[in-house]
Amino acid sequence: MSALNAGEHLVDTAFVPDGSRLRLVQSGTDFAILLDDNELMSTDFSASEGVLASAVCAELADRAPVHMLIGGYGMGFTLRAALRALGPDAEVTVAEIVPKIVEWAKGPMAAITFGCLDDPRVQLVQEDVALLIESARQGYDCILLDVDNGPEGLTRRANDWLYSAAGLAAARSALKDGGILGIWSATHDDRFAGTLARSGFSVTVIETGRGADSCPAKPGEQHVIIMATRRD
């Protein structure tokens, strides 16, 4: 096991279905989830995950009720931003494939999750989001994906399907007319934007240089939100 930085301690370890190791690390009041030695997410860098939800919800402001599918709970930043933006009649399905992620949310990180998983609008499904996408037909107003570093899979090779032509076709079928596929990405990818366009989506790319509260993003937190709207 790789050594931790000074001030960090290992809280727990989990494994994704393909066997890759996740580690929950704490430093003071901050937490981070590592995939081996790569930091996947951290409570210290969270603005862009909130923008993923708030930007999509703003585009759907004239719809009610909204049925949202979130792929990957992570640390819940996307979910909590969605709940703040959505009305009381919304439905939010959260697909999280790693049970330990949910345990950490309700255990060591309970103080930062604010009980979001207990919100009556939320249905938690401990399943691969790809299965929910494949089985839906015009079932969702929006699908938010924050299951990896973006179109280039890092966490699980199986996630690559989500960004393939077949996966995007399934996502388009799972969305209602005018529905939005929102994707968090570490960087912009012109080739992926082209694949989205060829798959029947209109594409908007948001660079998250500022947080949802208009405060400057911290160094290293300038990520990309891809909003792909289903074309008829």
Side-chain angles (χ1 to χ4, degrees):
M1 179 180 296
S2 301
L4 300 176
N5 295 325
E8 295 180 337
H9 75 273
L10 178 66
V11 178
D12 200 3
T13 300
F15 293 90
V16 297
D18 68 358
S20 300
R21 180 190 60 178
L22 298 178
R23 291 186 290 166
L24 178 65
V25 172
Q26 183 174 7
S27 176
T29 59
D30 286 317
F31 291 87
I33 295 178
L34 311 180
L35 174 67
D36 294 323
D37 294 328
N38 297 305
E39 184 177 294
L40 292 181
M41 61 200 78
S42 168
T43 55
D44 195 37
F45 296 100
S46 59
S48 59
E49 287 88 342
V51 173
L52 171 61
S54 60
V56 170
C57 288
E59 289 295 312
L60 298 173
D62 60 345
R63 293 197 185 201
V66 169
H67 190 183
M68 172 184 289
L69 172 62
I70 298 178
Y73 171 80
M75 290 184 166
F77 294 110
T78 299
L79 174 60
R80 292 193 291 280
L83 294 175
R84 288 193 296 269
L86 294 171
D89 53 356
E91 299 178 55
V92 184
T93 301
V94 179
E96 175 51 64
I97 200 170
V98 182
K100 280 268 190 174
I101 294 286
V102 178
E103 291 181 24
W104 295 344
K106 296 183 176 182
M109 291 191 288
I112 66 168
T113 62
F114 304 109
C116 62
L117 288 171
D118 298 319
D119 190 294
R121 294 171 290 177
V122 175
Q123 178 186 17
L124 175 65
V125 181
Q126 294 192 8
E127 187 54 88
D128 190 337
V129 69
L131 294 180
L132 276 70
I133 291 173
E134 282 191 292
S135 63
R137 291 295 179 272
Q138 294 197 344
Y140 302 105
D141 295 286
C142 57
I143 300 170
L144 307 186
L145 296 180
D146 187 8
V147 296
D148 223 309
N149 265 18
E152 76 287 353
L154 174 65
T155 309
R156 302 173 61 229
R157 187 164 297 278
N159 286 345
D160 290 343
W161 177 85
L162 294 168
Y163 311 110
S164 69
L168 295 176
R172 188 179 183 280
S173 295
L175 288 167
K176 299 176 185 178
D177 292 342
I180 298 175
L181 173 64
I183 300 171
W184 184 96
S185 181
T187 58
H188 181 55
D189 186 329
D190 286 329
R191 288 191 303 174
F192 179 62
T195 302
L196 280 166
R198 291 189 295 274
S199 299
F201 292 94
S202 299
V203 182
T204 301
V205 177
I206 301 171
E207 295 184 0
T208 61
R210 303 183 74 84
D213 57 359
S214 296
C215 293
K218 298 175 183 179
E221 200 177 359
Q222 293 80 16
H223 302 307
V224 170
I225 304 302
I226 303 166
M227 290 203 305
T229 303
R230 173 182 165 153
R231 298 196 306 262
D232 294 336

